[in-house]
mmCIF file of all heavy atoms in Angstrom:
data_model
loop_
_atom_site.group_PDB
_atom_site.id
_atom_site.type_symbol
_atom_site.label_atom_id
_atom_site.label_comp_id
_atom_site.label_asym_id
_atom_site.label_seq_id
_atom_site.Cartn_x
_atom_site.Cartn_y
_atom_site.Cartn_z
ATOM 1 N N ASN A 562 -8.193 1.457 3.965
ATOM 2 C CA ASN A 562 -8.476 1.956 5.313
ATOM 3 C C ASN A 562 -9.789 1.416 5.866
ATOM 4 O O ASN A 562 -10.008 1.406 7.079
ATOM 5 C CB ASN A 562 -8.521 3.480 5.324
ATOM 6 C CG ASN A 562 -7.152 4.090 5.086
ATOM 7 O OD1 ASN A 562 -6.818 4.404 3.947
ATOM 8 N ND2 ASN A 562 -6.351 4.218 6.125
ATOM 9 N N LEU A 563 -10.681 0.958 4.971
ATOM 10 C CA LEU A 563 -11.965 0.422 5.419
ATOM 11 C C LEU A 563 -11.879 -1.045 5.841
ATOM 12 O O LEU A 563 -12.812 -1.564 6.457
ATOM 13 C CB LEU A 563 -13.005 0.565 4.299
ATOM 14 C CG LEU A 563 -13.341 1.993 3.853
ATOM 15 C CD1 LEU A 563 -14.342 1.962 2.699
ATOM 16 C CD2 LEU A 563 -13.885 2.817 5.016
ATOM 17 N N VAL A 564 -10.782 -1.730 5.493
ATOM 18 C CA VAL A 564 -10.638 -3.147 5.830
ATOM 19 C C VAL A 564 -10.518 -3.298 7.342
ATOM 20 O O VAL A 564 -9.599 -2.730 7.958
ATOM 21 C CB VAL A 564 -9.389 -3.744 5.131
ATOM 22 C CG1 VAL A 564 -9.140 -5.178 5.600
ATOM 23 C CG2 VAL A 564 -9.551 -3.691 3.617
ATOM 24 N N PRO A 565 -11.431 -4.028 8.003
ATOM 25 C CA PRO A 565 -11.341 -4.205 9.461
ATOM 26 C C PRO A 565 -10.052 -4.919 9.851
ATOM 27 O O PRO A 565 -9.664 -5.908 9.225
ATOM 28 C CB PRO A 565 -12.571 -5.062 9.794
ATOM 29 C CG PRO A 565 -13.508 -4.862 8.645
ATOM 30 C CD PRO A 565 -12.630 -4.686 7.444
ATOM 31 N N LYS A 566 -9.390 -4.420 10.894
ATOM 32 C CA LYS A 566 -8.082 -4.949 11.286
ATOM 33 C C LYS A 566 -8.120 -5.480 12.717
ATOM 34 O O LYS A 566 -8.880 -4.976 13.553
ATOM 35 C CB LYS A 566 -7.016 -3.860 11.137
ATOM 36 C CG LYS A 566 -6.937 -3.306 9.704
ATOM 37 C CD LYS A 566 -6.211 -1.975 9.656
ATOM 38 C CE LYS A 566 -6.392 -1.314 8.294
ATOM 39 N NZ LYS A 566 -7.769 -0.834 8.059
ATOM 40 N N LYS A 567 -7.283 -6.468 12.977
ATOM 41 C CA LYS A 567 -7.225 -7.063 14.314
ATOM 42 C C LYS A 567 -6.555 -6.131 15.310
ATOM 43 O O LYS A 567 -6.821 -6.203 16.508
ATOM 44 C CB LYS A 567 -6.455 -8.392 14.266
ATOM 45 C CG LYS A 567 -7.131 -9.477 13.446
ATOM 46 C CD LYS A 567 -6.271 -10.738 13.397
ATOM 47 C CE LYS A 567 -6.948 -11.819 12.546
ATOM 48 N NZ LYS A 567 -6.112 -13.022 12.402
ATOM 49 N N TYR A 568 -5.654 -5.279 14.808
ATOM 50 C CA TYR A 568 -4.914 -4.379 15.678
ATOM 51 C C TYR A 568 -4.336 -3.268 14.820
ATOM 52 O O TYR A 568 -4.315 -3.350 13.582
ATOM 53 C CB TYR A 568 -3.789 -5.111 16.419
ATOM 54 C CG TYR A 568 -3.149 -6.211 15.603
ATOM 55 C CD1 TYR A 568 -2.279 -5.932 14.552
ATOM 56 C CD2 TYR A 568 -3.438 -7.547 15.865
ATOM 57 C CE1 TYR A 568 -1.725 -6.940 13.789
ATOM 58 C CE2 TYR A 568 -2.878 -8.562 15.111
ATOM 59 C CZ TYR A 568 -2.020 -8.248 14.074
ATOM 60 O OH TYR A 568 -1.472 -9.241 13.314
ATOM 61 N N LEU A 569 -3.869 -2.210 15.475
ATOM 62 C CA LEU A 569 -3.284 -1.083 14.762
ATOM 63 C C LEU A 569 -1.862 -1.440 14.307
ATOM 64 O O LEU A 569 -1.278 -2.422 14.735
ATOM 65 C CB LEU A 569 -3.253 0.152 15.671
ATOM 66 C CG LEU A 569 -4.614 0.654 16.168
ATOM 67 C CD1 LEU A 569 -4.428 1.808 17.151
ATOM 68 C CD2 LEU A 569 -5.490 1.077 15.000
ATOM 69 N N GLY A 570 -1.325 -0.605 13.431
ATOM 70 C CA GLY A 570 0.077 -0.754 13.054
ATOM 71 C C GLY A 570 0.325 -1.377 11.705
ATOM 72 O O GLY A 570 1.458 -1.419 11.242
ATOM 73 N N LEU A 571 -0.725 -1.899 11.053
ATOM 74 C CA LEU A 571 -0.542 -2.477 9.722
ATOM 75 C C LEU A 571 -0.392 -1.363 8.696
ATOM 76 O O LEU A 571 -1.118 -0.371 8.739
ATOM 77 C CB LEU A 571 -1.729 -3.349 9.342
ATOM 78 C CG LEU A 571 -1.985 -4.602 10.197
ATOM 79 C CD1 LEU A 571 -3.291 -5.256 9.761
ATOM 80 C CD2 LEU A 571 -0.847 -5.581 10.066
ATOM 81 N N ASP A 572 0.540 -1.528 7.756
ATOM 82 C CA ASP A 572 0.632 -0.551 6.676
ATOM 83 C C ASP A 572 -0.176 -1.041 5.475
ATOM 84 O O ASP A 572 -0.720 -2.145 5.460
ATOM 85 C CB ASP A 572 2.092 -0.259 6.303
ATOM 86 C CG ASP A 572 2.840 -1.456 5.721
ATOM 87 O OD1 ASP A 572 2.204 -2.299 5.060
ATOM 88 O OD2 ASP A 572 4.065 -1.548 5.918
ATOM 89 N N GLY A 573 -0.266 -0.202 4.446
ATOM 90 C CA GLY A 573 -1.105 -0.522 3.296
ATOM 91 C C GLY A 573 -0.688 -1.781 2.575
ATOM 92 O O GLY A 573 -1.534 -2.554 2.099
ATOM 93 N N THR A 574 0.621 -2.024 2.484
ATOM 94 C CA THR A 574 1.100 -3.232 1.816
ATOM 95 C C THR A 574 0.669 -4.477 2.572
ATOM 96 O O THR A 574 0.203 -5.460 1.982
ATOM 97 C CB THR A 574 2.634 -3.208 1.694
ATOM 98 O OG1 THR A 574 3.033 -2.013 1.016
ATOM 99 C CG2 THR A 574 3.142 -4.419 0.931
#
Side-chain angles (χ1 to χ4, degrees):
N562 291 94
L563 298 178
V564 174
K566 302 163 192 70
K567 295 177 181 176
Y568 35 74
L569 299 175
L571 296 174
D572 65 31
T574 304

